[in-house]
Amino acid sequence: GDSVTQMEGPVTLSEEAFLTINCTYTATGYPSLFWYVQYPGEGLQLLLKATKADDKGSNKGFEATYRKETTSFHLEKGSVQVSDSAVYFCALKGSARQLTFGSGTQLTVLP
Amino acid sequence: GAGVSQSPSNKVTEKGKDVELRCDPISGHTALYWYRQRLGQGLEFLIYFQGNSAPDKSGLPSDRFSAERTGESVSTLTIQRTQQEDSAVYLCASSLQVVSTDTQYFGPGTRLTVL
């Protein structure tokens, strides 16, 4: 079945540092890939998505590229801010109708 | 509506009691999903609806869990004879359709605590 393996946290960075959160997946066919973010005390929000190979999703300075050859969708940001502190979830939607999520990565950015 | 809403936001119940959780999806969204998030874990799929029918109930953890959707809008998730392991945040999401490219929009969740 479908599965998502996500870099374990927690991750602690200083403000303006470079962020990478690794995500790899297993799926049949051609899934769509998503990054969701959960800020403290808030619900899950879509951060970005990519629906086919080599697509790059981007939002709020975050980027992720759909790499079919390495089955990866790593999340990157060049300069993190304190306000980026949250839990980040990688997810895919393939032949099944539901999203399959990774276990989440807690990011804390220190001033 | 503006977004997916869920009620109650918090529910504390005693072991063995039944609970009902409600989800109001975004107006016009035909697909509706229920997930469960246990403390410190990822999201676990429970059930989805296409319109009022639920083609895939494979994620429901036991026969104590059931869900229904009426009028292609409101959905209720019912847990009978609650157990302590049912304690979790129950999240509802909706999307325009069930196709793989459609974005699912999540509600704020219902935090269920079973004592």
Side-chain angles (χ1 to χ4, degrees), chain B residues 52-73:
Chain B
N52 292 338
S53 67
D56 185 358
K57 303 180 181 179
S58 62
L60 293 177
S62 76
D63 59 8
R64 296 185 296 104
F65 287 72
S66 63
E68 64 177 20
R69 187 181 185 195
T70 55
E72 291 201 355
S73 69

Side-chain angles (χ1 to χ4, degrees), chain A residues 42-110:
Chain A
E42 297 185 19
L44 210 59
Q45 303 174 24
L46 177 69
L47 180 59
L48 53 85
K49 73 177 187 181
T51 59
K52 61 182 189 294
D54 300 325
D55 267 3
K56 177 185 284 187
S58 61
N59 186 26
K60 299 182 180 181
F62 290 88
E63 292 183 340
T65 301
Y66 188 162
R67 302 284 189 201
K68 190 162 178 64
E69 64 276 13
T70 55
T71 61
S72 65
F73 193 54
H74 304 321
L75 183 68
E76 297 183 335
K77 186 174 185 181
S79 176
V80 292
Q81 305 300 312
V82 172
S83 57
D84 294 327
S85 297
V87 181
Y88 293 82
F89 292 92
C90 185
L92 71 82
K93 193 175 183 193
S95 54
R97 304 307 187 190
Q98 69 270 20
L99 286 165
T100 298
F101 284 87
S103 55
T105 301
Q106 171 77 56
L107 170 67
T108 301
V109 181
L110 302 176

Side-chain angles (χ1 to χ4, degrees), chain B:
Chain B
V4 179
S5 60
Q6 292 184 246
S7 60
S9 56
N10 278 285
K11 176 72 177 178
V12 180
T13 190
E14 294 179 348
K15 178 181 172 181
K17 301 282 190 184
D18 297 352
V19 294
E20 268 193 7
L21 313 180
R22 176 186 169 108
C23 172
D24 282 271
I26 293 172
S27 178
H29 281 195
T30 63
L32 185 147
Y33 308 79
W34 284 98
Y35 296 86
R36 176 169 73 175
Q37 186 178 22
R38 287 173 161 155
L39 188 63
Q41 299 185 22
L43 278 77
E44 174 188 4
F45 167 73
L46 298 178
I47 188 170
Y48 88 90
F49 289 87
Q50 174 60 56
N52 292 338
S53 67
D56 185 358
K57 303 180 181 179
S58 62
L60 293 177
S62 76
D63 59 8
R64 296 185 296 104
F65 287 72
S66 63
E68 64 177 20
R69 187 181 185 195
T70 55
E72 291 201 355
S73 69
V74 173
S75 175
T76 55
L77 177 69
T78 300
I79 309 174
Q80 296 179 309
R81 304 181 303 282
T82 51
Q83 304 294 311
Q84 288 182 333
E85 65 261 26
D86 300 334
S87 295
V89 176
Y90 289 81
L91 292 166
C92 175
S94 71
S95 64
L96 273 172
Q97 299 179 62
V98 294
V99 296
S100 65
T101 54
D102 271 3
T103 298
Q104 292 182 22
Y105 296 90
F106 283 80
T110 294
R111 182 176 299 278
L112 175 66
T113 304
V114 182
L115 302 177

